[in-house]
Amino acid sequence: MFSMFWMVVLRYFAGCMAWTVVILVNLLFITITCLLALKAGLIGDDAVGSTLDSSGYTEGYTDPASEDREYFEYACYFSAALTCVLFLITLIMIKRIRIAVACIKVASQAVSTMPTILFFPLVPLALEIVLLAYWILVVAFLYSAGEVKELEGGGTEISWDDNLRYMMLYHLFGLLWTNEFLIGFGLTVIAGSIANFYWCRGDSSAMPFAPILDSVKRTCRYSLVPPLLRPLLSYTCRYSLV
C-alpha cells in the first residue's frame, strides 16, 4: 500500500520534491557561509559589544572569539567558493534535472502499470539466499575434508592439501561470480519490463499479459551474456580503482 502511495507521489510531485531539495541545499550552503562571515566579523555588528565598550567595562578584556576570527574568515572564503561552485553547477544542470524529473515520472507510470514489478526483487533475493546456504554447506564439507593432526603439546589441528585449498578458492570465486550474475539478471529483467512499457507508449492494452514473465523469457533466451559478463566487468573496474 505504501509503495503504491509513493509511486503516486513520485508521479505527481517528483518535480516539486526535486527542486525543493536543490533549493534547500543551495540555501543551506548560503546560510553556512553567512554564519561563518558573521563569526569572522565580516558582516554584522555586535550591539552588546559596542554597548560594553561605551560603558568602559571592557578595559583589559579580550574577546575569546577574536583569536579565532582569522580561522573563521578562511573558512568563510572557502565556504563562499563552494557555494558559488554549487550555484553554478545548479544553473548548468537545470536541463538535466528536468530530464531526471521526467524520467522519474515515466518510471512511476511504468510501475503503476506493472505493479508486480515491485515484488520481482524478492525473486533474486530468494535465489541469493539459496546460493548462500549452498555455499555455506559446501564450505563446511570442504573444511571437514581436511586432515586432523595431533599436536605434540596436546590438541589437534586441521590441515588441507593444495587441492582442497584451490577448491576453497574456486568455491569463493563461484560465490562472488554467481552473486553478481543474479544481480545483473534481475536488473536485466526489470530493464526489459520497462522497455515493454516504453515501446508500447504506456498503453497497457498493447503490453503482454505478464510483462515480467515475458521479460524473464527474453532475458533467458537472448540476454544472458551481459549478466554473465557483469562479474568480470564489475570486479575489474572495482579493483582497478583500488
Side-chain angles (χ1 to χ4, degrees), residues 24-37 79 83:
L24 287 178
V25 170
N26 280 272
L27 289 178
L28 176 63
F29 272 77
I30 293 174
T31 303
I32 293 174
T33 303
C34 292
L35 289 176
L36 290 173
S79 178
T83 303

Side-chain angles (χ1 to χ4, degrees), residues 22 26 84-95 97:
V22 171
N26 280 272
C84 293
V85 171
L86 178 63
F87 183 71
L88 291 176
I89 292 176
T90 303
L91 294 178
I92 295 173
M93 298 294 289
I94 286 178
K95 185 176 180 180
I97 293 174

Side-chain angles (χ1 to χ4, degrees), residues 136-211:
I136 293 175
L137 180 64
V138 175
V139 165
F141 278 116
L142 291 175
Y143 182 84
S144 62
E147 182 181 357
V148 179
K149 296 181 179 179
E150 294 186 0
L151 301 177
E152 295 181 357
T156 59
E157 68 174 3
I158 301 178
S159 62
W160 302 273
D161 57 17
D162 291 340
N163 291 330
L164 284 175
R165 295 179 188 274
Y166 291 144
M167 290 176 67
M168 290 180 180
L169 290 176
Y170 176 77
H171 190 51
L172 176 61
F173 172 80
L175 171 69
L176 299 177
W177 192 283
T178 309
N179 178 63
E180 288 291 332
F181 166 74
L182 291 176
I183 295 174
F185 180 80
L187 294 177
T188 306
V189 171
I190 293 175
S193 303
I194 300 300
N196 259 335
F197 173 84
Y198 177 80
W199 292 114
C200 293
R201 303 295 183 183
D203 186 6
S204 58
S205 61
M207 295 179 62
F209 175 73

